Amino acid sequence: MLPKSTRIPRKLFKPILESRKYFNSEHFSLRTASSEHVRVAVSVSKKVSKSAVIRNKIRRRVYSEFRNIISTLKPSLYLVVAKTGAEKVKSEHLRSELADLLKKR
């Protein structure tokens, strides 16, 4: 899990969703907005899975990948939204898919 100082509070979700800068991959969508610091949030809807255990597992796996690459990111707000099927992604594929999304940015 990332430290609280690098996570995005719920009150900043609205500006990110309104920023219109987004990039899509097969299992994730990345939304960005300008900021002075690097901050990350992961959103997993009940449409992805009704089970909270699975939603939290997806969230933890994505945060874990971001923990490894957060020092290389440009200052911005990053919101990762999981799509249906994200729970089936293997760790190598998850890493490459998130890296591709961040390269598009």
Side-chain angles (χ1 to χ4, degrees), residues 26-27 47-48 82-87:
E26 184 179 354
H27 298 103
K47 290 180 183 178
V48 174
K83 295 181 182 178
T84 305
E87 70 276 3

Side-chain angles (χ1 to χ4, degrees), residues 43-79:
S43 175
V44 184
S45 170
K46 283 188 179 179
K47 290 180 183 178
V48 174
S49 175
K50 298 290 184 193
S51 171
V53 173
I54 294 173
R55 291 194 310 271
N56 289 334
K57 182 178 179 180
I58 296 167
R59 192 174 297 114
R60 284 192 309 268
R61 290 179 67 206
V62 174
Y63 273 130
S64 176
E65 291 301 325
F66 266 96
R67 187 177 54 217
N68 298 329
I69 59 173
I70 198 162
S71 61
T72 63
L73 298 176
K74 296 177 184 176
S76 188
L77 300 176
Y78 298 92
L79 173 62

